[in-house]
Amino acid sequence: MLRTALRNVFAHKARLVMTALAVMLGVAFVSGTLVFGDSTAQAFRDASSQNLRGVAVSVQAEFTGENGEDGRSTVLTSELADEIGALPDVTSVRPTVNGNATLADKDGRPVNADNTWQNLAANYVPEAPDSGRDGRYPLVEGRGPAAADEMALDSRTAEKAGYRVGDTVRFATDGPALTKTLVGTVDSDDPRVTAGGSLALFDTATAQELFLQDGQFDELVVTSANGTDDAALTREIGALLPAEGATATSGEQLAVDQARQITESTRALTQMLLVFAGIALFVGVFIIANTFTMLIAQRSREIALMRAVGATRRQVVRSVLIEAALLGLAASAVGFAIGLGIAAGLRPLLNASGAGLPEGPLVVSTGAVVWSLVVGVVVTVLAAWLPSRKAARIAPVEALSTVDQAPPQRAMALRNGLGGVLAGLGVLVMLYVYTLDNGDDSNLYLAMFGSLLTMTGMIMLAPLLSRPLISLAGGLTNRFFGVNGKLATENALRNPRRTAATASALMIGLTLITGLSVAGSSTDAALQQAAVEGLTADYKVSADRGLDPELGARVADVPGVADSAPLATAALDVEGGFTLLTGADPQRLGNVADLTFTSGALSEIGPGRVAVSEAVAERSGLAVGDTFRGVIGPYGETEDIELTLVGVYQETTVVTGALGTLEDVMPHTWEGKIDSVLVRADSGQGTSGLDQDIREALGNSPLITVQNQEQIVAAESGAIAVMLNMLYGLLGMSVVIAVLGVVNTLAMSVFERTRELGLLRAIGLDRTDIRQMVRLESVVISLFGAVLGIGTGIFLAWTAGGLTGSSLATYETILPWTRLALFLLLALAIGVLAAIWPARRAARLNMLRAINAQ
């Protein structure tokens, strides 16, 4: 039986090649994901290790709430650094100041505006007073900064921003723009920088002035002599530290902690990619099972002879499974090699979307190799298991009488009944999900379960649905293509189970893509509507770390500004429920925003008098005229105050949970800053150039953003488009595999109908008619899968949309008709392209040899 399995593999190379491709692509996705995950984690570890090279102990200032959210304790001083440096085993102490600086490039645009957390700043510390060189940042060109008006950049950032040594660099740390002369460029192995961030360096005194204060540091990096017990040194240094405000950690422990954090941070991305790899393999299962079902049907005479000469059912099953295992092993090996290319391409693809992944070599672990091969072989064997059992159950006499039998009516009735139950349960679950209005984890899992039930039920019902839907399509093919169209329709209906299995592979991919498209388009439209709902201002002025109130007041004096309203927010606890209290001047707010009050009025708001949104009023049970106690302020600095409710309004993105006066809110904001300023332009002057005038008035800081309504909408919805494009690419693999399934089915169907095709040629069909018939059959099958997939995807997206009710009130299901039409055209194109090779093969058959074929 082993020899028989080997012979069958080599005897049907052409018929199995598409199945092998399906396995190869699925395994390539799995192996690429595993290798990418290992490579990314190792690249982070390598970068961290380089960054920690030579670090024996790191003494770090702890975070504190005294100076705001980003405050650090002030216990790391020059005196403490000298005290640690005097220890016997310490060779050096490098005092470090850390901060953030956003640069403007030569054209004035912010560098890394979307990832400001990667815009690093630090002090340049020469190893010796007269050396001018910092071992942590090797010089590439020029020299290190040594005066208050000098700075250095990492070489990548300098090149990206267009700066050369001697240029004047404009940047901002936490306010107006500053300028300094670029005196040098450096290399950095900090993973945040190598992954696309920026690095600005200043002399120590300037860095302390910008980010801390004179004589204070964020970190003391200690190096030790060879042979020193770093753990003991860490304890010794810890004894010198104050009781609170700083911690000492050995370099070895830092490396362990960072490795653990890296593993956790890369795990989620790897798991997401593996989900899409699983979808691709799931689609491949239909192709594999379909292929083996057709092969077994075509070899039924051979199997009958084997049974007649003594082969047992178990041996027949074993032969088919061995054949599947060999095919899976060979395809998995090739798929793993292709996966290495996928792994290499994922990093630049994700970095183009702002992922910030460091560079590094591919890491091919034993686990990735083993799991890739095991997955490919197991999936192939499992897919071939049911066809093998079907082969073993065929009686020799029955097998010798035919090569293609319709599935038993009892089996089809059982499948249809089970499919109807699963689809019905799935529909009921999804309709229940539609009634929910929040997306907590339990409801999300319920929606996923309902979607799985619905899709499984539709897959099982596909043979039953194929007859009416394909017959409907056949009416069009008959009308426009005559006999060829009728023959194509009958060929597609000849074996509903096979047609359904072929169409189901395409259905799965299009269900997921359609569901994402509908959900994405609906979310995008809701975000666009919410972004400017209630906003009558022409511009919104904001900054990455908030705006000083003085800058907010300065906006009103810009020529061309008719009205402006500074906004600030603070946390507020209302009757045990958290919300945000927005502070603004009610009269000025009314000039730049349109709030709809259901009770009370905007003019009633004043000191101690607030309005709340309908959701907050309903949740807290408050009504206009009620007095309540509210807890306001940042964590650790809250205050219990008495407030009177004077209005209830419809929530917008301009004003969310509650609205009070700017004077009531400002004492409780982080660092006393405002969030934004809404600006309405003078109608007589227009808005041309006003945004630049506002920037100039505010110091032209790279941290400041001035957006018109179109830019606000683009900022809110841009991430959706990026995410959808990435998901389309990932799901595209399943569609490619589905195309292979259509090609495979048609090619094997042509082989199976060799004698029939010969007879058709003999009674008058020419080669053009044969090609057209096969193409139409392919198109009909593809459109059948597309209709099922698009319909199921729309239903799932519509019902799951109810989960966004609590977080996005403007959400409503919107069908992207243009995109859905493109999906139908895609299915049509798939049908035409998939039929090219099978149709050509059918048309080239020798008529007499085909008629004599058995």
Side-chain angles (χ1 to χ4, degrees):
M1 298 306 294
L2 178 60
R3 286 197 299 271
T4 301
L6 289 171
R7 181 184 62 79
N8 285 332
V9 169
F10 292 108
H12 304 101
K13 294 188 292 292
R15 306 182 212 171
L16 293 175
V17 66
M18 296 300 171
T19 304
L21 283 173
V23 178
M24 283 164 48
L25 290 176
V27 171
F29 213 156
V30 172
S31 64
T33 299
L34 293 175
V35 172
F36 168 76
D38 292 340
S39 302
T40 301
Q42 187 60 48
F44 272 115
R45 283 193 289 269
D46 290 345
S48 298
S49 262
Q50 285 290 104
N51 207 33
L52 293 173
R53 187 177 62 250
V55 177
V57 182
S58 172
V59 182
Q60 297 181 348
E62 295 177 341
F63 282 100
T64 175
E66 296 177 2
N67 298 321
E69 183 180 10
D70 297 326
R72 286 266 199 164
S73 69
T74 57
V75 301
L76 298 187
T77 61
S78 301
E79 292 76 17
L80 180 60
D82 293 339
E83 191 176 353
I84 293 173
L87 294 175
D89 293 323
V90 173
T91 57
S92 68
V93 177
R94 187 185 192 283
T96 301
V97 178
N98 296 317
N100 290 92
T102 300
L103 307 171
D105 63 18
K106 269 298 191 75
D107 297 326
R109 293 170 298 195
V111 176
N112 296 333
D114 296 331
N115 296 295
T116 55
W117 61 274
Q118 287 183 283
N119 295 334
L120 309 181
N123 59 325
Y124 188 84
V125 185
E127 296 173 346
D130 57 347
S131 70
R133 295 185 176 275
D134 185 343
R136 184 170 185 177
Y137 303 113
L139 285 169
V140 175
E141 185 181 2
R143 60 178 177 83
D149 61 346
E150 298 176 347
M151 69 183 300
L153 296 174
D154 72 280
S155 55
R156 294 184 186 88
T157 299
E159 181 179 358
K160 180 167 62 176
Y163 288 119
R164 295 184 178 181
V165 172
D167 288 343
T168 298
V169 179
R170 191 164 59 85
F171 67 96
T173 59
D174 194 15
L178 304 172
T179 58
K180 295 188 185 296
T181 301
L182 182 66
V183 297
T185 59
V186 302
D187 267 339
S188 174
D189 49 27
D190 190 306
R192 293 168 294 180
V193 178
T194 58
S198 65
L199 173 66
L201 297 174
F202 310 92
D203 68 280
T204 298
T206 303
Q208 288 174 331
E209 180 183 353
L210 290 172
F211 307 114
L212 290 171
Q213 49 186 299
D214 186 35
Q216 294 180 353
F217 303 98
D218 289 306
E219 182 182 12
L220 302 176
V221 179
V222 180
T223 57
S224 60
N226 291 334
T228 301
D229 184 348
D230 289 344
L233 180 60
T234 302
R235 291 191 295 270
E236 189 175 359
I237 292 174
L240 299 177
L241 302 180
E244 295 181 354
T247 57
T249 309
S250 67
E252 182 180 356
Q253 184 59 45
L254 277 178
V256 171
D257 293 342
Q258 288 190 7
R260 183 174 61 252
Q261 292 172 2
I262 289 166
T263 301
E264 291 296 326
S265 63
T266 57
R267 181 176 299 162
L269 178 60
T270 302
Q271 288 176 344
M272 183 194 75
L273 293 173
L274 283 174
V275 168
F276 289 95
I279 292 171
L281 284 172
F282 184 62
V283 172
V285 165
F286 289 90
I287 300 173
I288 299 166
N290 216 19
T291 301
F292 275 94
T293 298
M294 296 177 71
L295 283 174
I296 287 166
Q298 293 169 14
R299 288 173 11 214
S300 56
R301 291 177 178 272
E302 175 188 324
I303 294 171
L305 290 173
M306 291 172 59
R307 293 292 311 280
V309 298
T312 64
R313 290 185 174 182
R314 183 174 298 178
Q315 286 177 313
V316 171
V317 171
R318 191 181 303 158
S319 173
V320 175
L321 294 183
I322 291 173
E323 182 179 345
L326 293 174
L327 175 68
L329 184 62
S332 299
V334 178
F336 182 83
I338 297 173
L340 297 180
I342 293 176
L346 274 174
R347 183 186 292 114
L349 178 65
L350 293 175
N351 279 343
S353 302
L357 303 176
E359 296 181 359
L362 288 180
V363 176
V364 182
S365 65
T366 303
V369 177
V370 171
W371 275 111
S372 299
L373 296 178
V374 167
V375 166
V377 172
V378 169
V379 166
T380 310
V381 170
L382 287 178
W385 182 69
L386 284 176
S388 70
R389 289 182 59 83
K390 178 183 176 182
R393 287 197 300 267
I394 297 175
V397 174
E398 182 183 2
L400 288 170
S401 63
T402 183
V403 295
D404 186 21
Q405 296 180 354
Q409 291 299 319
R410 181 179 177 183
M412 289 300 296
L414 179 62
R415 172 175 175 152
N416 293 337
L418 183 58
V421 170
L422 291 178
L425 286 175
V427 169
L428 290 175
V429 170
M430 294 308 295
L431 290 175
Y432 171 71
V433 168
Y434 179 73
T435 64
L436 304 175
D437 62 352
N438 65 81
D440 61 39
D441 289 346
S442 60
N443 292 337
L444 287 175
Y445 292 139
L446 183 62
M448 292 171 62
F449 176 67
S451 300
L452 181 62
L453 280 179
T454 304
M455 289 180 65
T456 304
M458 292 301 295
I459 290 169
M460 297 187 72
L461 286 174
L464 179 64
L465 297 173
S466 65
R467 185 164 295 279
L469 290 178
I470 290 179
S471 297
L472 182 63
L476 295 176
T477 58
N478 294 351
R479 180 174 180 180
F480 291 103
F481 300 99
V483 174
N484 295 341
K486 183 176 182 180
L487 290 172
T489 303
E490 291 179 353
N491 288 334
L493 291 173
R494 177 177 299 183
N495 191 325
R497 179 178 288 182
R498 179 198 303 164
T499 298
T502 305
S504 293
L506 184 60
M507 184 201 83
I508 295 169
L510 285 178
T511 295
L512 297 173
I513 291 177
T514 300
L516 283 174
S517 295
V518 174
S521 298
S522 302
T523 302
D524 185 40
L527 287 174
Q528 291 187 32
Q529 180 182 348
V532 294
E533 187 178 25
L535 182 66
T536 59
D538 296 301
Y539 290 103
K540 177 182 178 182
V541 183
S542 58
D544 185 56
R545 300 181 185 90
L547 289 165
D548 289 329
E550 178 189 349
L551 296 180
R554 199 181 299 173
V555 173
D557 298 328
V558 176
V561 172
D563 293 290
S564 67
L567 304 181
T569 56
L572 179 67
D573 188 294
V574 180
E575 300 293 325
F578 170 82
T579 190
L580 285 178
L581 173 63
T582 300
D585 181 300
Q587 182 177 353
R588 298 175 70 181
L589 180 64
N591 294 331
V592 295
D594 183 17
L595 288 180
T596 302
F597 277 74
T598 56
S599 60
L602 179 63
S603 59
E604 297 294 326
I605 297 174
R609 303 192 303 274
V610 300
V612 298
S613 68
E614 292 175 319
V616 172
E618 181 180 355
R619 184 183 67 214
S620 61
L622 295 173
V624 171
D626 290 346
T627 299
F628 63 95
R629 305 294 297 183
V631 180
I632 187 172
Y635 178 76
E637 300 179 9
T638 57
E639 179 183 348
D640 191 356
I641 60 175
E642 184 175 297
L643 298 169
T644 301
L645 185 63
V646 296
V648 178
Y649 58 85
Q650 295 176 2
E651 182 175 317
T652 68
T653 53
V654 178
V655 182
T656 53
L659 175 63
T661 64
L662 196 62
E663 291 74 15
D664 280 346
V665 174
M666 283 302 297
H668 306 287
T669 62
W670 284 115
E671 299 183 332
K673 292 186 177 182
I674 60 177
D675 295 328
S676 61
V677 181
L678 301 182
V679 178
R680 184 170 65 84
D682 190 327
S683 58
Q685 178 174 334
T687 61
S688 177
L690 184 58
D691 56 342
Q692 186 58 39
D693 293 340
I694 294 173
R695 290 190 184 92
E696 294 289 346
L698 301 183
N700 209 12
S701 170
L703 294 173
I704 292 176
T705 302
V706 182
Q707 298 171 301
N708 57 30
Q709 290 201 10
E710 290 181 0
Q711 292 167 331
I712 294 172
V713 168
E716 290 291 334
S717 60
I720 296 291
V722 172
M723 182 191 70
L724 282 178
N725 289 334
M726 185 176 72
L727 294 179
Y728 286 154
L730 294 173
L731 287 173
M733 183 72 74
S734 63
V735 176
V736 171
I737 294 175
V739 173
L740 296 177
V742 178
V743 176
N744 209 18
T745 298
L746 289 173
M748 299 185 74
S749 178
V750 167
F751 175 83
E752 184 179 275
R753 303 202 307 266
T754 299
R755 191 165 186 269
E756 174 188 319
L757 292 170
L759 290 171
L760 290 172
R761 289 288 311 280
I763 62 174
L765 264 68
D766 59 19
R767 292 186 174 184
T768 301
D769 293 328
I770 294 293
R771 281 195 294 266
Q772 187 180 75
M773 180 187 70
V774 175
R775 280 197 296 267
L776 289 174
E777 180 182 352
S778 176
V779 168
V780 166
I781 293 174
S782 297
L783 288 178
F784 169 56
V787 169
L788 285 184
I790 292 173
T792 305
I794 291 173
F795 171 76
L796 295 179
W798 169 64
T799 50
L803 299 179
T804 63
S806 60
S807 58
L808 196 57
T810 56
Y811 183 93
E812 62 179 27
T813 302
I814 295 176
L815 298 183
W817 292 108
T818 302
R819 202 168 296 172
L820 296 180
L822 286 176
F823 293 159
L824 280 175
L825 290 176
L826 174 65
L828 181 65
I830 287 173
V832 173
L833 293 174
I836 291 176
W837 178 55
R840 185 180 179 188
R841 181 182 177 187
R844 295 175 63 183
L845 287 174
N846 182 281
M847 186 191 311
L848 295 178
R849 290 179 182 176
I851 293 173
N852 291 325
Q854 297 296 321

